[in-house]
Amino acid sequence: GALQSGAIRMAHAGASEHLAEQIRDDVQAALDQLQSSPDDIYDFEEVLDSIVALWEDVVDFRIHIQPEVLNKFHNNSGASDAAIELVREAINNAMKHSDPTEISISLTLDQPTVFQLRVWNNGENLKGMPNQGYGSQLFEELCLDWALRNEAEGVVFEARVVA
């Protein structure tokens, strides 16, 4: 995630020394995460903040998370892990394909055991659907169902996931 987002950021902003230093820091943080134990507990909001920090110099974020969803994540690390991976992929896809200036992330409880993720961006509408790749495979594996669609004001990714 950090490598891909770093490459996209460099392409959008030009490779200044300050940006290169930020990207090195992001990559080091990602490497540190890989070296941590899989049993390490992390806070969902902390990880989300680190994902947002990768892009906050080029995109404005609005985030809404229902407290009930956070409670589910505290009790189910699998649901939390899935949400993080989906958010990361949706943001990376938005940056790669739509060039947005705003991204809105919403996590709500759809049913007692299902949460809904909605990631909207105000970038360019997609011209056809992107090729089936890593993201589509991830969405198929983690989601009960998902959709990616153009709207008048941007692009929306929505998914329902077991909480």
Side-chain angles (χ1 to χ4, degrees):
L3 290 175
Q4 182 180 14
S5 64
I8 295 169
R9 286 169 56 205
M10 288 179 82
H12 281 288
S16 71
E17 183 56 36
H18 176 69
L19 180 59
E21 182 65 29
Q22 286 180 321
I23 292 169
R24 279 192 290 275
D25 291 345
D26 293 343
V27 170
Q28 185 59 53
L31 291 171
D32 291 345
Q33 274 187 338
L34 288 173
Q35 294 172 357
S36 67
S37 165
D39 295 328
D40 288 348
I41 303 296
Y42 65 86
D43 181 80
F44 172 82
E45 291 171 296
E46 219 174 89
V47 176
L48 181 60
D49 287 346
S50 72
I51 294 169
V52 167
L54 291 171
W55 298 106
E56 67 188 359
D57 55 337
V58 292
V59 176
D60 291 323
F61 284 89
R62 288 187 312 250
I63 299 172
H64 168 72
I65 306 171
Q66 277 185 336
E68 297 85 356
V69 173
L70 287 176
N71 288 338
K72 293 285 185 182
F73 289 170
H74 290 298
N75 295 321
N76 182 346
S77 64
S80 177
D81 292 347
I84 287 296
E85 291 307 312
L86 293 168
V87 167
R88 183 185 338 257
E89 184 65 16
I91 292 171
N92 285 345
N93 284 346
M95 297 305 297
K96 182 178 178 183
H97 299 290
S98 293
D99 196 27
T101 59
E102 297 176 28
I103 293 178
S104 174
I105 301 166
S106 173
L107 285 156
T108 56
L109 207 55
D110 186 48
Q111 299 172 17
T113 59
V114 176
F115 70 86
Q116 175 149 348
L117 168 65
R118 184 176 196 273
V119 180
W120 168 88
N121 76 76
N122 70 337
E124 297 176 24
N125 279 24
L126 300 174
K127 294 168 182 65
M129 285 315 207
N131 294 334
Q132 298 290 325
Y134 170 77
S136 298
Q137 181 181 352
L138 182 74
F139 301 154
E140 290 296 327
E141 290 175 7
L142 296 179
C143 304
L144 293 171
D145 52 59
W146 64 278
L148 179 65
R149 66 181 179 281
N150 291 322
E151 291 190 346
E153 303 279 323
V155 180
V156 175
F157 168 75
E158 288 182 318
R160 291 181 335 117
V161 183
V162 173

